[in-house]
Structures are given as structure tokens and as C-alpha cells.
Amino acid sequence: MLSSIVLAAGFSSRMGRPKALLEWGGEPLIAYHVHQLREAGADEIIVVLGHRGDEIQRGMRGHNLECRVMLNSLFQLGRASSLRLGAKAVSRDADAIIITSVDQPRPAEFVRNLAAAYKPARSGVRPVHNGHHGHPIVLSGNLREELMAATEESDGLLAVVRAHESELDDFPTSDDLLSLDINTPDDYQAALRRFGFAR
């Protein structure tokens, strides 16, 4: 079983409005994530919301989203709190877990190929471009409890990755997608151009 967690609980302070609701090819960015993950083969999609979560949920309506939404009331404590909540919601039967952030959109083909590169005997696989690792990352379902125990003090997801560094495979990519991270309005416009969505 392939599960996935989309982290979308942050303040979006540099953007000035919820990133999850940014228009993205005719749908909200969060809807794009869910549709691409489903197309990539994810059996289960957990979306973790926090800041302006009710507004984002309303914006998700009408987009045929097969996902489970978790509202993180502690989102202000940091990203690790959302990771814990998402991991707790993941099925115990998950063989692998895709972890991605709402501000790092990736097309289904990219995610599908990354997930296909995961080897069950290993702890996970992560994309790498020009020597730099990026997201999303695919981790073994066996690490679910470690993800549930992640804390800001221990660097959250990064701590889990560090603990299993030698057991993670690289997924080399020549694509510059890994540098795409939407934090500001300028980033957003650049990302729209990169995906061919700019008007």
C-alpha cells in the first residue's frame, strides 16, 4: 500500500495568502497535489491543514478530491507537529509513505517514477539533482512510528532522514524541478512559467 502525506498547515506569511489555494492550472494548488498523487498511484492521501484550514477546506470542495483531511490545531508549533499528525493518520498497512509539501508541486510522472524506485528492503528513496537532495521523499512504512515521534527540537523529518541516511537510496534526476519551491509571489510566478500555467 502506497500512502502519502501533503503538508499544508503553514502560515504562508511570505506569500501573503494560503499557498494551498493558489490557482494552479485551473484548480487550487492543493487539489493539484491530490490529483497528481492519485494519478501517481497513491492508495491513500492525507492532507494536513492548519492556518486558515477551514477556508482551505471550503476551497477544496467541488474538485473531486479523494483524500483525508486532518486539521492541525498546533500548527503554530511548527512543521513537525503536522508531520506527526499526518503519520498518525497513515494506515498501519502502508508499505511506503510519500511525504511532500504544498509549496513543492511535482507532476504525477515524477512522483510515480520516484515511488517505483523505492526498494522494500531499504528505508526510502529521495530525488537528487546536481548533488542536492529534494522533495518529495518516499520512506518505508516501517518508519511511521518514528515520523509520529518527530519533534521540532530534533529537526522533524530531517532527523528521521539523518537516522537512516545509509539506508536511503538516491533517485537521480536531470530535471530542475527540485529547485522549485513556492514561498513568495515571485516564486509563484516563476513556478507558473515553469509548468506552463502563466498567462
Side-chain angles (χ1 to χ4, degrees):
M1 180 180 188
L2 181 60
S3 295
S4 58
I5 301 170
V6 183
L7 301 172
F11 285 100
S12 300
S13 53
R14 284 185 284 171
M15 181 59 65
R17 52 183 167 141
K19 296 177 190 177
L21 294 181
L22 291 174
E23 197 278 332
W24 194 259
E27 62 184 349
L29 183 54
I30 188 64
Y32 173 86
H33 273 279
V34 173
H35 289 143
Q36 296 304 302
L37 283 166
R38 189 65 69 183
E39 187 179 333
D43 302 296
E44 173 182 67
I45 301 170
I46 309 297
V47 173
V48 183
L49 303 178
H51 183 60
R52 295 169 70 171
D54 290 341
E55 177 185 348
I56 295 171
Q57 275 193 291
R58 289 194 296 273
M60 292 170 68
R61 292 174 188 158
H63 291 280
N64 191 30
L65 302 183
E66 296 178 60
C67 64
R68 183 177 173 194
V69 175
M70 305 298 293
L71 285 174
N72 179 13
S73 60
L74 303 176
F75 69 90
Q76 69 276 8
L77 298 181
R79 181 183 170 95
S81 64
S82 294
L83 180 62
R84 288 195 302 273
L85 185 62
K88 186 175 181 180
V90 163
S91 170
R92 296 184 182 188
D93 297 327
D95 299 301
I97 306 167
I98 303 169
I99 301 173
T100 191
S101 297
V102 72
D103 54 10
Q104 297 175 331
R106 308 291 187 253
E109 182 181 12
F110 184 90
V111 180
R112 185 187 304 113
N113 291 338
L114 177 65
Y118 167 68
K119 300 179 180 68
R122 303 283 284 167
S123 289
V125 60
R126 53 186 173 165
V128 60
H129 177 63
N130 288 342
H132 297 286
H133 292 104
H135 293 274
I137 186 170
V138 180
L139 293 178
S140 167
N142 293 331
L143 300 183
R144 176 175 171 267
E145 290 194 8
E146 288 186 42
L147 295 172
M148 287 169 57
T151 64
E152 290 297 331
E153 293 74 21
S154 69
D155 289 333
L157 177 60
L158 186 56
V160 178
V161 169
R162 284 174 177 159
H164 298 275
E165 195 93 39
S166 64
E167 303 152 22
L168 292 175
D169 292 320
D170 281 346
F171 176 71
T173 174
S174 58
D175 205 312
D176 63 353
L177 267 176
L178 298 193
S179 63
L180 193 152
D181 196 345
I182 304 172
N183 288 309
T184 67
D186 285 345
D187 292 340
Y188 173 44
Q189 292 304 317
L192 287 173
R193 290 192 294 273
R194 170 65 178 77
F195 274 73
F197 293 149
R199 294 173 182 170

